[in-house]
Short mmCIF file of all heavy atoms in Angstrom, two decimals:
data_model
loop_
_atom_site.label_atom_id
_atom_site.label_comp_id
_atom_site.label_asym_id
_atom_site.label_seq_id
_atom_site.Cartn_x
_atom_site.Cartn_y
_atom_site.Cartn_z
N TRP K 24 -46.06 -54.79 -14.24
CA TRP K 24 -45.83 -55.98 -13.41
C TRP K 24 -46.98 -56.25 -12.46
O TRP K 24 -46.98 -57.28 -11.78
CB TRP K 24 -44.52 -55.83 -12.63
CG TRP K 24 -43.29 -55.98 -13.47
CD1 TRP K 24 -43.23 -56.41 -14.77
CD2 TRP K 24 -41.94 -55.70 -13.08
NE1 TRP K 24 -41.92 -56.42 -15.21
CE2 TRP K 24 -41.11 -55.99 -14.19
CE3 TRP K 24 -41.35 -55.24 -11.91
CZ2 TRP K 24 -39.72 -55.83 -14.15
CZ3 TRP K 24 -39.97 -55.08 -11.87
CH2 TRP K 24 -39.16 -55.37 -12.98
N LYS K 28 -43.48 -59.37 -8.14
CA LYS K 28 -42.05 -59.11 -7.94
C LYS K 28 -41.77 -58.28 -6.68
O LYS K 28 -42.18 -57.14 -6.53
CB LYS K 28 -41.40 -58.42 -9.15
CG LYS K 28 -41.38 -59.30 -10.40
CD LYS K 28 -40.44 -58.75 -11.43
CE LYS K 28 -40.62 -59.44 -12.76
NZ LYS K 28 -40.23 -60.86 -12.73
N THR K 29 -40.99 -58.93 -5.80
CA THR K 29 -40.39 -58.20 -4.67
C THR K 29 -39.23 -57.39 -5.25
O THR K 29 -38.85 -57.56 -6.42
CB THR K 29 -39.81 -59.20 -3.66
OG1 THR K 29 -38.81 -59.98 -4.35
CG2 THR K 29 -40.89 -60.14 -3.11
N ALA K 30 -38.62 -56.54 -4.41
CA ALA K 30 -37.48 -55.76 -4.89
C ALA K 30 -36.35 -56.70 -5.33
O ALA K 30 -35.68 -56.44 -6.33
CB ALA K 30 -37.02 -54.79 -3.81
N SER K 31 -36.13 -57.81 -4.62
CA SER K 31 -35.03 -58.69 -5.05
C SER K 31 -35.38 -59.43 -6.34
O SER K 31 -34.50 -59.66 -7.18
CB SER K 31 -34.57 -59.66 -3.96
OG SER K 31 -35.54 -59.85 -3.00
N GLU K 32 -36.65 -59.76 -6.53
CA GLU K 32 -37.02 -60.38 -7.81
C GLU K 32 -36.89 -59.37 -8.96
O GLU K 32 -36.52 -59.72 -10.08
CB GLU K 32 -38.46 -60.92 -7.73
CG GLU K 32 -38.55 -62.18 -6.86
CD GLU K 32 -39.98 -62.54 -6.44
OE1 GLU K 32 -40.89 -61.70 -6.58
OE2 GLU K 32 -40.17 -63.67 -5.97
N ALA K 33 -37.19 -58.10 -8.65
CA ALA K 33 -37.01 -57.06 -9.67
C ALA K 33 -35.53 -56.95 -10.05
O ALA K 33 -35.19 -56.80 -11.23
CB ALA K 33 -37.51 -55.72 -9.14
N ASP K 34 -34.66 -57.08 -9.06
CA ASP K 34 -33.21 -57.06 -9.33
C ASP K 34 -32.81 -58.16 -10.30
O ASP K 34 -32.03 -57.93 -11.22
CB ASP K 34 -32.44 -57.28 -8.02
CG ASP K 34 -32.00 -55.96 -7.41
OD1 ASP K 34 -31.85 -54.97 -8.17
OD2 ASP K 34 -31.81 -55.92 -6.19
N GLU K 35 -33.35 -59.35 -10.06
CA GLU K 35 -33.01 -60.48 -10.95
C GLU K 35 -33.45 -60.18 -12.38
O GLU K 35 -32.74 -60.47 -13.34
CB GLU K 35 -33.70 -61.76 -10.48
CG GLU K 35 -33.05 -62.39 -9.27
CD GLU K 35 -33.94 -63.50 -8.68
OE1 GLU K 35 -34.65 -64.18 -9.46
OE2 GLU K 35 -33.92 -63.64 -7.44
N PHE K 36 -34.65 -59.61 -12.52
CA PHE K 36 -35.14 -59.24 -13.85
C PHE K 36 -34.16 -58.26 -14.50
O PHE K 36 -33.76 -58.42 -15.65
CB PHE K 36 -36.53 -58.62 -13.73
CG PHE K 36 -37.13 -58.17 -15.03
CD1 PHE K 36 -38.05 -58.96 -15.71
CD2 PHE K 36 -36.80 -56.93 -15.60
CE1 PHE K 36 -38.62 -58.55 -16.91
CE2 PHE K 36 -37.37 -56.51 -16.80
CZ PHE K 36 -38.28 -57.33 -17.45
N LEU K 37 -33.78 -57.23 -13.74
CA LEU K 37 -32.93 -56.18 -14.31
C LEU K 37 -31.55 -56.72 -14.68
O LEU K 37 -30.98 -56.31 -15.70
CB LEU K 37 -32.79 -55.02 -13.31
CG LEU K 37 -34.09 -54.25 -13.03
CD1 LEU K 37 -33.86 -53.24 -11.90
CD2 LEU K 37 -34.61 -53.55 -14.27
N ASP K 38 -31.02 -57.65 -13.87
CA ASP K 38 -29.71 -58.24 -14.19
C ASP K 38 -29.72 -58.82 -15.59
O ASP K 38 -28.76 -58.71 -16.35
CB ASP K 38 -29.37 -59.37 -13.20
CG ASP K 38 -29.06 -58.83 -11.81
OD1 ASP K 38 -28.82 -57.62 -11.68
OD2 ASP K 38 -29.09 -59.64 -10.85
N SER K 39 -30.84 -59.44 -15.93
CA SER K 39 -30.91 -60.09 -17.23
C SER K 39 -31.38 -59.14 -18.34
O SER K 39 -30.91 -59.21 -19.48
CB SER K 39 -31.83 -61.31 -17.07
OG SER K 39 -32.52 -61.59 -18.22
N PHE K 40 -32.27 -58.21 -17.99
CA PHE K 40 -32.91 -57.38 -19.03
C PHE K 40 -32.08 -56.16 -19.42
O PHE K 40 -31.94 -55.85 -20.62
CB PHE K 40 -34.29 -56.94 -18.52
CG PHE K 40 -35.06 -56.10 -19.49
CD1 PHE K 40 -35.62 -56.67 -20.63
CD2 PHE K 40 -35.22 -54.73 -19.29
CE1 PHE K 40 -36.33 -55.90 -21.55
CE2 PHE K 40 -35.93 -53.96 -20.20
CZ PHE K 40 -36.48 -54.54 -21.33
N LEU K 41 -31.55 -55.45 -18.43
CA LEU K 41 -30.92 -54.15 -18.74
C LEU K 41 -29.77 -54.23 -19.75
O LEU K 41 -29.69 -53.37 -20.64
CB LEU K 41 -30.43 -53.47 -17.45
CG LEU K 41 -31.51 -52.75 -16.62
CD1 LEU K 41 -30.87 -52.08 -15.40
CD2 LEU K 41 -32.27 -51.72 -17.45
N PRO K 42 -28.90 -55.24 -19.67
CA PRO K 42 -27.78 -55.24 -20.62
C PRO K 42 -28.22 -55.33 -22.08
O PRO K 42 -27.47 -54.95 -22.98
CB PRO K 42 -26.98 -56.49 -20.22
CG PRO K 42 -27.37 -56.76 -18.81
CD PRO K 42 -28.80 -56.31 -18.68
N SER K 43 -29.45 -55.82 -22.33
CA SER K 43 -29.90 -55.98 -23.73
C SER K 43 -30.52 -54.70 -24.29
O SER K 43 -30.87 -54.66 -25.47
CB SER K 43 -30.91 -57.13 -23.81
OG SER K 43 -32.09 -56.75 -23.11
N GLN K 44 -30.66 -53.67 -23.48
CA GLN K 44 -31.40 -52.48 -23.94
C GLN K 44 -30.48 -51.39 -24.48
O GLN K 44 -29.49 -51.05 -23.85
CB GLN K 44 -32.26 -51.94 -22.79
CG GLN K 44 -33.34 -52.90 -22.36
CD GLN K 44 -34.19 -53.38 -23.55
OE1 GLN K 44 -34.82 -52.58 -24.23
NE2 GLN K 44 -34.17 -54.67 -23.80
N VAL K 51 -38.71 -47.83 -23.64
CA VAL K 51 -39.07 -48.96 -22.79
C VAL K 51 -39.32 -48.45 -21.37
O VAL K 51 -38.50 -47.71 -20.82
CB VAL K 51 -37.96 -50.03 -22.79
CG1 VAL K 51 -38.26 -51.14 -21.80
CG2 VAL K 51 -37.78 -50.59 -24.20
N LEU K 53 -40.67 -49.60 -17.41
CA LEU K 53 -41.03 -50.64 -16.46
C LEU K 53 -41.94 -50.05 -15.38
O LEU K 53 -41.67 -48.96 -14.88
CB LEU K 53 -39.76 -51.21 -15.79
CG LEU K 53 -38.72 -51.83 -16.72
CD1 LEU K 53 -37.50 -52.28 -15.92
CD2 LEU K 53 -39.31 -53.01 -17.49
N PRO K 55 -43.09 -51.20 -11.95
CA PRO K 55 -43.05 -52.16 -10.85
C PRO K 55 -44.06 -51.80 -9.76
O PRO K 55 -44.56 -50.68 -9.73
CB PRO K 55 -41.62 -51.98 -10.29
CG PRO K 55 -40.99 -50.85 -11.03
CD PRO K 55 -42.04 -50.18 -11.87
N LEU K 58 -43.23 -51.20 -3.79
CA LEU K 58 -42.04 -51.45 -2.98
C LEU K 58 -40.81 -51.82 -3.79
O LEU K 58 -39.72 -51.88 -3.24
CB LEU K 58 -42.34 -52.51 -1.91
CG LEU K 58 -43.30 -52.00 -0.82
CD1 LEU K 58 -43.51 -53.04 0.26
CD2 LEU K 58 -42.78 -50.70 -0.20
N ALA K 59 -40.96 -52.02 -5.08
CA ALA K 59 -39.79 -52.25 -5.93
C ALA K 59 -39.46 -50.99 -6.74
O ALA K 59 -38.46 -50.95 -7.46
CB ALA K 59 -40.05 -53.44 -6.87
N LEU K 60 -40.28 -49.97 -6.60
CA LEU K 60 -40.17 -48.81 -7.48
C LEU K 60 -38.85 -48.06 -7.30
O LEU K 60 -38.16 -47.75 -8.28
CB LEU K 60 -41.36 -47.88 -7.19
CG LEU K 60 -41.82 -46.89 -8.22
CD1 LEU K 60 -42.02 -47.51 -9.58
CD2 LEU K 60 -43.14 -46.27 -7.75
N GLU K 61 -38.48 -47.80 -6.05
CA GLU K 61 -37.26 -47.03 -5.83
C GLU K 61 -36.04 -47.81 -6.30
O GLU K 61 -35.12 -47.26 -6.91
CB GLU K 61 -37.13 -46.68 -4.34
CG GLU K 61 -35.94 -45.78 -4.07
CD GLU K 61 -35.96 -45.15 -2.69
OE1 GLU K 61 -36.80 -45.55 -1.85
OE2 GLU K 61 -35.11 -44.27 -2.45
N ARG K 62 -36.08 -49.11 -6.04
CA ARG K 62 -34.99 -49.99 -6.46
C ARG K 62 -34.84 -49.95 -7.99
O ARG K 62 -33.76 -49.77 -8.54
CB ARG K 62 -35.36 -51.41 -6.02
CG ARG K 62 -34.35 -52.43 -6.30
CD ARG K 62 -33.36 -52.42 -5.20
NE ARG K 62 -32.21 -53.26 -5.52
CZ ARG K 62 -31.15 -53.26 -4.75
NH1 ARG K 62 -31.07 -52.49 -3.70
NH2 ARG K 62 -30.15 -54.05 -5.07
N VAL K 63 -35.94 -50.11 -8.69
CA VAL K 63 -35.89 -50.17 -10.16
C VAL K 63 -35.52 -48.80 -10.72
O VAL K 63 -34.69 -48.70 -11.64
CB VAL K 63 -37.24 -50.67 -10.73
CG1 VAL K 63 -37.26 -50.61 -12.24
CG2 VAL K 63 -37.51 -52.10 -10.25
N ALA K 64 -36.08 -47.73 -10.14
CA ALA K 64 -35.74 -46.38 -10.64
C ALA K 64 -34.26 -46.11 -10.45
O ALA K 64 -33.60 -45.55 -11.34
CB ALA K 64 -36.58 -45.33 -9.92
N GLY K 65 -33.72 -46.53 -9.31
CA GLY K 65 -32.30 -46.31 -9.05
C GLY K 65 -31.43 -47.04 -10.06
O GLY K 65 -30.48 -46.49 -10.61
N ARG K 66 -31.79 -48.29 -10.34
CA ARG K 66 -30.96 -49.08 -11.26
C ARG K 66 -31.13 -48.67 -12.71
O ARG K 66 -30.25 -48.90 -13.53
CB ARG K 66 -31.26 -50.57 -11.08
CG ARG K 66 -30.64 -51.10 -9.79
CD ARG K 66 -30.50 -52.59 -9.80
NE ARG K 66 -29.75 -53.12 -10.93
CZ ARG K 66 -29.68 -54.41 -11.21
NH1 ARG K 66 -30.32 -55.29 -10.46
NH2 ARG K 66 -28.97 -54.84 -12.24
N CYS K 67 -32.28 -48.09 -13.05
CA CYS K 67 -32.49 -47.69 -14.45
C CYS K 67 -31.95 -46.29 -14.74
O CYS K 67 -31.84 -45.91 -15.90
CB CYS K 67 -33.97 -47.78 -14.82
SG CYS K 67 -34.56 -49.47 -14.87
N ALA K 68 -31.64 -45.53 -13.68
CA ALA K 68 -31.09 -44.19 -13.90
C ALA K 68 -29.81 -44.32 -14.72
O ALA K 68 -28.97 -45.18 -14.44
CB ALA K 68 -30.80 -43.53 -12.55
N GLY K 69 -29.69 -43.50 -15.75
CA GLY K 69 -28.49 -43.57 -16.59
C GLY K 69 -28.56 -44.65 -17.65
O GLY K 69 -27.61 -44.84 -18.41
N THR K 70 -29.67 -45.41 -17.71
CA THR K 70 -29.86 -46.39 -18.79
C THR K 70 -30.98 -45.85 -19.68
O THR K 70 -31.67 -44.89 -19.30
CB THR K 70 -30.30 -47.77 -18.23
OG1 THR K 70 -31.70 -47.70 -17.91
CG2 THR K 70 -29.51 -48.19 -17.01
N PRO K 71 -31.22 -46.46 -20.84
CA PRO K 71 -32.33 -45.96 -21.67
C PRO K 71 -33.71 -46.35 -21.13
O PRO K 71 -34.72 -45.90 -21.66
CB PRO K 71 -32.09 -46.65 -23.03
CG PRO K 71 -30.87 -47.47 -22.91
CD PRO K 71 -30.44 -47.52 -21.48
N VAL K 72 -33.76 -47.19 -20.11
CA VAL K 72 -35.05 -47.70 -19.62
C VAL K 72 -35.65 -46.72 -18.61
O VAL K 72 -34.95 -46.22 -17.73
CB VAL K 72 -34.87 -49.10 -19.00
CG1 VAL K 72 -36.17 -49.60 -18.38
CG2 VAL K 72 -34.36 -50.06 -20.06
N ARG K 73 -36.94 -46.43 -18.78
CA ARG K 73 -37.63 -45.49 -17.89
C ARG K 73 -38.59 -46.25 -16.98
O ARG K 73 -38.90 -47.42 -17.22
CB ARG K 73 -38.33 -44.42 -18.71
CG ARG K 73 -37.30 -43.57 -19.46
CD ARG K 73 -37.90 -42.77 -20.58
NE ARG K 73 -38.76 -41.75 -20.06
CZ ARG K 73 -40.08 -41.66 -20.30
NH1 ARG K 73 -40.67 -42.53 -21.08
NH2 ARG K 73 -40.78 -40.69 -19.78
N VAL K 74 -39.06 -45.55 -15.94
CA VAL K 74 -39.82 -46.23 -14.89
C VAL K 74 -41.10 -45.45 -14.60
O VAL K 74 -41.08 -44.22 -14.50
CB VAL K 74 -38.95 -46.34 -13.61
CG1 VAL K 74 -39.72 -47.00 -12.49
CG2 VAL K 74 -37.68 -47.13 -13.92
N ALA K 75 -42.21 -46.18 -14.46
CA ALA K 75 -43.48 -45.54 -14.12
C ALA K 75 -44.13 -46.30 -12.96
O ALA K 75 -43.96 -47.52 -12.81
CB ALA K 75 -44.41 -45.52 -15.33
N ASP K 98 -39.32 -37.71 -6.47
CA ASP K 98 -38.19 -37.72 -5.54
C ASP K 98 -37.33 -38.98 -5.67
O ASP K 98 -36.14 -38.96 -5.38
CB ASP K 98 -38.74 -37.59 -4.11
CG ASP K 98 -37.65 -37.46 -3.07
OD1 ASP K 98 -36.80 -36.57 -3.24
OD2 ASP K 98 -37.64 -38.25 -2.11
N ILE K 99 -37.93 -40.10 -6.07
CA ILE K 99 -37.14 -41.33 -6.20
C ILE K 99 -36.81 -41.63 -7.67
O ILE K 99 -36.39 -42.73 -8.00
CB ILE K 99 -37.82 -42.55 -5.53
CG1 ILE K 99 -39.21 -42.82 -6.13
CG2 ILE K 99 -37.92 -42.35 -4.02
CD1 ILE K 99 -39.76 -44.20 -5.77
N GLY K 100 -37.03 -40.65 -8.55
CA GLY K 100 -36.57 -40.82 -9.93
C GLY K 100 -37.55 -41.52 -10.85
O GLY K 100 -37.14 -42.06 -11.90
N VAL K 101 -38.83 -41.50 -10.50
CA VAL K 101 -39.84 -42.12 -11.36
C VAL K 101 -40.21 -41.14 -12.48
O VAL K 101 -40.24 -39.93 -12.27
CB VAL K 101 -41.08 -42.52 -10.52
CG1 VAL K 101 -42.26 -42.91 -11.38
CG2 VAL K 101 -40.70 -43.67 -9.57
N ASP K 102 -40.48 -41.67 -13.68
CA ASP K 102 -40.75 -40.82 -14.86
C ASP K 102 -42.21 -40.68 -15.21
O ASP K 102 -42.59 -39.78 -15.95
CB ASP K 102 -40.05 -41.42 -16.09
CG ASP K 102 -38.58 -41.65 -15.86
OD1 ASP K 102 -37.84 -40.66 -15.82
OD2 ASP K 102 -38.16 -42.82 -15.70
N PRO K 252 -37.86 -61.67 -18.36
CA PRO K 252 -37.00 -60.74 -19.12
C PRO K 252 -36.82 -61.15 -20.58
O PRO K 252 -36.73 -60.28 -21.47
CB PRO K 252 -35.67 -60.74 -18.36
CG PRO K 252 -35.74 -61.86 -17.38
CD PRO K 252 -37.18 -62.22 -17.18
#
Side-chain angles (χ1 to χ4, degrees):
W24 287 350
K28 295 195 191 294
T29 60
S31 22
E32 287 165 346
D34 263 334
E35 284 169 33
F36 179 98
L37 294 173
D38 289 344
S39 148
F40 181 73
L41 281 182
S43 67
Q44 295 308 299
V51 175
L53 301 177
L58 290 183
L60 203 50
E61 185 166 9
R62 183 84 189 171
V63 174
R66 285 199 56 189
C67 291
T70 78
V72 175
R73 295 163 68 243
V74 179
D98 185 53
I99 59 165
V101 169
D102 306 287

